[in-house]
Amino acid sequence: MPKLKTSAAEMVASARARIEEVETHDAITMLKDSNVTFVDLRDIRERKRSGYIPGSFHCPRGMVEFWVDPDSPYFKEIFGQDRTFVFHCASGWRSALTVATLNDMGFPAAHLKDGFSGWSKADGPIDTADQTS
């Protein structure tokens, strides 16, 4: 197998150097702010297995660029609202790459630095009801 020009870890580090990262304790406080939307990028199976941040919106990572673009036929109205968006995945790698891409598109967003695993470890509230979005 040929050596990769850039590793996934290098891509994540590069993304983290230029995006807004939200610490877990700050994110837990932000949950009370009705102007903040947490966006869960994890696979639906992860969400069902581990639970999710209460009130979070599920957006599969593979659709995020299309769902935030108002010119896309897949645009979701939630992303057209004047809100603070905090994206997360399990550990912060996928969300870092996603937020870097969204920022490049001109969409303002931040990400949960330590992901859902950090949220769980900090005893952040978790909902387990059968909800997909």
Side-chain angles (χ1 to χ4, degrees):
M1 175 177 200
K3 181 170 172 34
L4 294 174
K5 186 169 140 181
T6 307
S7 72
E10 291 169 325
M11 289 178 66
V12 170
S14 176
R16 284 185 156 165
R18 63 187 183 94
I19 63 173
E20 180 184 351
E21 296 191 297
V22 178
E23 297 287 345
T24 304
H25 64 277
D26 294 330
I28 291 170
T29 300
M30 293 170 78
L31 190 59
K32 298 173 190 164
D33 186 341
S34 62
N35 193 45
V36 174
T37 297
F38 287 90
V39 182
D40 190 341
L41 297 169
R42 298 174 301 153
D43 181 272
I44 190 65
R45 292 166 292 202
E46 292 175 275
R47 191 170 159 95
K48 286 182 177 180
R49 181 177 56 247
S50 305
Y52 52 90
I53 296 173
S56 62
F57 180 76
H58 181 244
C59 176
R61 183 171 179 241
M63 291 302 295
V64 69
E65 294 87 353
F66 305 103
W67 283 17
V68 304
D69 183 352
D71 294 328
S72 165
Y74 302 104
F75 175 68
K76 297 289 184 188
E77 283 295 324
I78 191 169
F79 294 115
Q81 298 175 8
D82 184 18
R83 310 183 59 70
T84 298
F85 292 95
V86 179
F87 287 76
H88 79 86
C89 59
S91 65
W93 284 42
R94 290 173 284 180
S95 58
L97 294 176
T98 298
V99 168
T101 299
L102 293 178
N103 288 178
D104 288 347
M105 292 173 69
F107 186 86
H111 94 114
L112 182 56
K113 182 178 178 183
D114 295 320
F116 189 76
S117 60
W119 180 276
S120 296
K121 287 178 188 168
D123 292 323
I126 296 175
D127 201 341
T128 56
D130 187 18
Q131 176 185 329
T132 58
S133 62

